[in-house]
């Protein structure tokens, strides 16, 4: 995919009577995404790069593929919009569903296969986007709740490296948690 | 087999884990670049710090169940890194951990709160589990002595030769416990103190202070104090100048143990951590000007015999408090807080609350009115660990005490001193089962505060 010829530009679009600065993010597989700087700055990692003045051209993100990056950008855009509509000090990162109007959207957002979910977690961790990390980790945690250790292993393809004796020992030590 | 001591070595051996996983991940990225479809990701592919982010969002029981999933998970959950993150996450969602009052009547334990956190703590189970000599003979008594955060100090007294007292430190939620080496038992009027804290390496260490009975009249004599040091696994004896008469149970506060000397109206503290300095510091503070307790008749008698009356001291939200309830001529509750406390012994008692019982709002519990107006003396049993307006009382204490071993109702109420309202937190009949004559002689009644910390305090076996 060819990268765009312009990088950081001061947008001349007057449609919203604002000058929106843009940045270009480049995924590991070479695709470029142009986004508003304010949206990109939902990621603390990108925020530091921009503030440090290193974002001259594109910002390369070698740990994030294009598929995941586009989703991440979607998340940031949606949450930035929502934050913009309410008070500036409100972050939409609360996990309290009764107050967060984006809860429904978030729930749909994480209805993806396990691989994608893990990739989103890794991307949120690398890009340091607290809300997304919170949302994705909570989703995986909720998948674990109520499952026995064996069921957790099966769901998440984890290898059991305990001998039967060791496993019985660990279980006995933590018997209170199973009651 | 206790796996805890091996954790550090094995964790060090497992340090390559993070490297392993990042290698795996970059390999996968390379595959992607070449357009090759990836294999199914498992949670094992995630870096430790990421896995921690997921696991800390589980409820506590699920986290401990996850120790059984694989050894990697076991070691990860056992690190102090994990415990600290779990703690931070819970603290960011709720201001304070839940707590319950633990009410001891003779050999029975009752909880005032039955939240799911305390589900695994059932009094009968708890009494049975840590005590290897489970009251099988009638000459031993197993009781709770003190509490500190989510740990309990219990004791088992042998009233036959060799007359020993065995202490246990237990976490009633996780059912972990250790037995301390026994100490000689000279009589039942001993004093205890229990304090615990995390040191710089995030390891738990604690102190148990045991003061055998002494003759309080002889003020200039030295008395023996035994301190158990958890890091060493043994008792250390020291002699201190006798400070007079003080209550039974020490209150842990700022790494010191505090007792209240009722005869002189002063605070006594003891530093169980500094081994050079096993001395009692006297800090004469007058409860100005209401320092005398008026009591008469049966009330005075039960105050004398009941150990709980000698513990008006407590800690709430980082401050020491002392409370006094007296009839002058109406029932008044006064509460003082120690402000500006510093390590050099400075500090000032300030009156925080003064509440007249006849001003209390009793619409919700009209039947309590008879207790407020009558001669049933309310007794303070515990302080709320965080809410500075709330204390816990037994409002019908005198009636409860005097009725002795008959079936009766025990009412523990929480009292909001500012709003002057009450809530009944425990209201059940007590069916005291007298197991042996030693119990009835002691007429045991005590209340402890058990705080369910977000991450349970681990108790490792003694070295």
């Amino acid at each position: 995919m060819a990268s765009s010829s312009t990088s950081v530009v001061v947008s001349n679009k007057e449609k919203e009577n604002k000058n929106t600065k843009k940045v270009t993010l480049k995924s590991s597989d070479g695709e470029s995404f142009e986004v508003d700087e304010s949206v990109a700055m939902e990621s603390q990692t990108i925020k530091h790069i921009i503030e440090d003045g290193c974002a001259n051209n594109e910002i390369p993100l070698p740990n994030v593929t294009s598929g995941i990056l586009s989703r991440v950008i979607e998340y940031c855009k949606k949450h930035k919009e929502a934050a913009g509509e309410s008070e500036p000090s409100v972050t939409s990162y609360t996990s309290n569903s009764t107050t967060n109007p984006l809860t429904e959207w978030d729930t749909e957002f994480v209805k993806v296969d396990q691989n994608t979910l893990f990739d989103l977690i890794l991307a949120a961790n690398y890009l340091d986007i607290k809300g997304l990390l919170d949302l994705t980790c909570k989703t995986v945690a909720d998948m674990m709740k109520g499952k026995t250790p064996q069921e957790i292993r099966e769901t998440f393809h984890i290898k059991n490296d305990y001998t039967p004796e060791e496993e019985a020992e660990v279980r006995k030590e933590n018997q209170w948690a199973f009651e | 087999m206790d796996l805890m001591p091996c954790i550090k070595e094995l964790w060090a051996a497992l340090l390559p884990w993070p490297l392993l996983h990042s290698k795996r991940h970059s390999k996968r990225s390379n595959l992607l670049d070449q357009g090759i479809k990836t294999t199914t990701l498992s949670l094992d592919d995630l870096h430790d710090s990421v896995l921690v982010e997921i696991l800390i969002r589980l409820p506590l029981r699920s986290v401990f169940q996850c120790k059984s999933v694989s050894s990697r998970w076991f070691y990860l959950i056992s690190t102090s890194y994990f415990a600290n993150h779990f703690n931070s996450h819970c603290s960011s969602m709720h201001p304070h951990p839940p707590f319950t009052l633990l009410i001891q009547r003779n050999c029975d334990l009752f909880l005032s709160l039955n939240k799911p956190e305390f589900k695994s703590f059932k009094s009968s189970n708890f009494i049975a589990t840590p005590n290897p000599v489970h009251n099988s003979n009638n000459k031993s008594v197993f009781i709770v002595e003190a509490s500190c955060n989510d740990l309990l100090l219990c004791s088992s007294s042998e009233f036959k030769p060799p007359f020993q007292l065995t202490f246990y430190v237990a976490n009633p939620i996780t059912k972990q416990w250790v037995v301390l080496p026994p100490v000689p038992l000279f009589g039942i009027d001993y004093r205890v103190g229990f304090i615990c804290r995390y040191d710089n390496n995030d390891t738990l260490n604690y102190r148990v202070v045991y003061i055998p009975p002494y003759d309080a009249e002889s003020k200039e004599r030295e008395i023996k104090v035994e301190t158990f040091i958890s890091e060493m696994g043994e008792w250390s004896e020291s002699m201190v100048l006798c400070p007079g008469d003080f209550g039974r149970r020490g209150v842990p506060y700022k790494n010191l143990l505090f007792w209240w000397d009722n005869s002189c109206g002063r605070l006594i503290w003891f530093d169980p951590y500094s081994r050079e300095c096993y001395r009692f510091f006297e800090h004469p503070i007058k409860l100005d000007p209401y320092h005398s307790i008026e009591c008469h008749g049966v009330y005075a008698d039960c105050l004398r015999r009941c150990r709980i009356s000698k513990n008006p001291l407590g800690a709430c939200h980082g401050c020491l408090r002392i409370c006094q309830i007296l009839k002058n001529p109406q029932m008044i509750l006064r509460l003082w807080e120690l402000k500006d406390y510093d390590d050099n012994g400075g500090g000032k008692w300030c009156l925080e609350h003064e509440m007249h019982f006849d001003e209390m709002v009793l619409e919700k519990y009209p039947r309590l009115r008879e207790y407020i107006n009558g001669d049933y003396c309310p007794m303070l049993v515990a302080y709320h660990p965080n809410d500075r307006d709330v204390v816990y009382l037994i409002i019908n204490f005198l009636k409860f005490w005097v009725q002795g071993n008959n079936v009766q109702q025990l009412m523990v109420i929480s009292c909001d001193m500012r709003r002057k309202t009450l809530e009944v937190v425990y209201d059940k009949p007590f069916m005291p089962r007298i197991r042996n004559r030693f119990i009835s002689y002691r007429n045991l009644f005590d209340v402890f505060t058990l705080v369910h910390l977000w991450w349970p305090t681990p108790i490792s076996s003694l070295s």
Side-chain angles (χ1 to χ4, degrees), chain A residues 26-125:
Chain A
K26 188 168 172 192
S27 68
S28 59
D29 46 344
E31 195 173 326
S32 292
F33 297 83
E34 195 187 53
V35 291
D36 286 349
E37 191 183 86
S38 58
V39 168
M41 302 238 281
E42 292 282 288
S43 152
Q44 296 297 307
T45 310
I46 294 178
K47 181 164 181 261
H48 292 319
I49 293 175
I50 293 177
E51 285 173 348
D52 286 349
C54 306
N56 288 325
N57 298 310
E58 306 165 314
I59 301 179
L61 302 172
N63 287 8
V64 190
T65 65
S66 55
I68 297 299
L69 186 54
S70 64
R71 282 185 199 265
V72 169
I73 290 170
E74 199 190 328
Y75 176 90
C76 293
K77 266 193 192 148
K78 185 75 182 180
H79 279 252
K80 191 70 194 170
E81 269 168 30
E85 281 159 22
S86 41
E87 289 163 28
S89 56
V90 169
T91 60
S92 51
Y93 296 156
T94 58
S95 52
N96 185 346
S97 55
T98 55
T99 59
N100 188 353
L102 286 173
T103 307
E104 247 186 65
W105 188 91
D106 282 347
T107 314
E108 286 304 310
F109 182 79
V110 287
K111 282 190 181 158
V112 292
D113 61 86
Q114 222 180 80
N115 270 8
T116 310
L117 191 56
F118 289 162
D119 279 330
L120 283 172
I121 292 180
L122 290 168
N125 189 43

Side-chain angles (χ1 to χ4, degrees), chain B residues 123-140:
Chain B
S123 64
S124 52
N125 286 353
F126 175 63
I127 293 277
T129 310
N131 184 9
V133 186
H134 170 47
N135 283 338
S136 51
N137 51 52
N138 269 345
K139 295 209 176 78
S140 74

Side-chain angles (χ1 to χ4, degrees), chain B residues 29-42:
Chain B
S29 307
N30 289 336
L31 288 174
L32 267 178
D33 286 346
Q34 299 160 29
I36 296 171
K37 199 160 186 275
T38 62
T39 52
T40 314
L41 258 189
S42 96

Side-chain angles (χ1 to χ4, degrees), chain B residues 92-105:
Chain B
S92 67
M93 312 246 288
H94 318 272
H96 298 294
F99 75 100
T100 186
L101 294 183
L102 193 64
I103 303 160
Q104 177 168 257
R105 169 68 170 159

Side-chain angles (χ1 to χ4, degrees), chain A residues 65 115 118-119 121-122 125 134 141 144 153 156-159 161-162 169 173-174 176-179, chain B residues 1 28 32 41-44 46 50 57-58 61 64-65 67-71 73-74 119 173-174:
Chain A
T65 65
N115 270 8
F118 289 162
D119 279 330
I121 292 180
L122 290 168
N125 189 43
D134 199 46
M144 281 188 209
R153 285 186 209 122
F156 297 104
H157 316 288
I158 299 169
K159 186 171 181 305
D161 56 353
Y162 280 131
E169 181 73 42
E173 245 188 29
N174 300 297
W176 63 276
F178 290 93
E179 280 162 13
Chain B
M1 185 181 88
R28 210 182 127 256
L32 267 178
L41 258 189
S42 96
L43 273 182
D44 275 340
L46 295 179
V50 178
R57 286 165 168 85
L58 284 170
R61 278 200 160 69
F64 275 82
Q65 286 185 16
K67 279 185 161 185
S68 300
V69 170
S70 77
S71 62
W73 286 38
F74 178 89
K119 197 171 71 158
I173 311 290
T174 62

